[in-house]
Amino acid sequence: MKIRMKITKEEEIRFISHLDYTRTIERAVRRAKLSAAYSEGFNPHMKFSFASALAVGVTSSAEYMDLELATDTELATIMRQLRQAFPVGITVKDSQVMIGTVKALMAVVNLATYEMTWLMSDGISEADLQQSLDLFDQEAIAIYVKQTPKGVREIDIKEFVAAPPVLHVEGDKICLQLQLHIKPTGSVKPTDMLELLIHKYQLPAFARAALIERTGLFISNKGRLLTPLEL
């Protein structure tokens, strides 16, 4: 049987890598004493998968994972055992049993939403922030130059922007909401887009002071958004 879960990556573990996050979950499944299914061969692996890797430093209220079990078990029992086994920083928010043939999460999830928050600096107004975003919106292309271990890579961030960034200001708290495509060829990190907005469009912000949360992962099809649990 296959279980699909919506889980979190919270503030306590925001700086662990995606690889360490997956190892943490694998150990939790073992502690929960569930009958996890394994691949065959000389080096069997637990059968579980995620929709999309999350960047280091970014929290999430909406990660999705599939877990395959070798024997049928009541969903309520599985969730109770997992909730007891997960460490601080990972919470199961929702789950369901997937019936029939199910496409891999990575093959269907194509849109991510993010929320960035930081504090307003003295002398900066909401109009200053909006002006930077308007400049970005008016551009047909927006090239972000990224240094990678393999060299310099130029990325047109506009190809990944699903909707114009939305700005909210409450008191001295600034909130910027993003919708970014996840493509078969790759995706961009919200931190890449924030760096671009700061350095090319003079968005008055300090990237390292921003708290970034992934708020959703979706299947976008002809203007309709579904979560992986709604398939």
Side-chain angles (χ1 to χ4, degrees), residues 5 7 21-38 46-50 65-70 78-79 81-87 90 92:
M5 290 179 280
I7 60 177
Y21 183 63
T22 60
R23 287 170 175 161
T24 300
I25 288 173
E26 184 174 356
R27 287 194 292 269
V29 172
R30 288 176 178 152
R31 282 198 302 273
K33 301 188 184 306
L34 297 174
S35 59
Y38 284 80
M46 187 182 291
K47 290 186 175 180
F48 70 111
S49 59
F50 294 83
M65 68 168 282
D66 285 341
L67 173 65
E68 192 170 329
L69 300 181
I78 296 168
M79 290 303 104
Q81 292 177 220
L82 276 178
R83 287 185 170 114
Q84 292 172 350
F86 276 150
I90 302 177
V92 181

Side-chain angles (χ1 to χ4, degrees), residues 10 45 111 139 166 193 209 215:
E10 299 166 22
H45 296 281
L111 186 110
E139 297 273 44
V166 177
M193 181 161 174
T215 54

Side-chain angles (χ1 to χ4, degrees), residues 71 177 212:
T71 58
Q177 296 175 334
I212 305 176

Side-chain angles (χ1 to χ4, degrees), residues 117-130:
T117 57
W118 68 92
L119 295 178
M120 183 94 78
S121 302
D122 291 340
I124 301 299
S125 68
E126 184 173 351
D128 296 328
L129 295 159
Q130 191 59 57

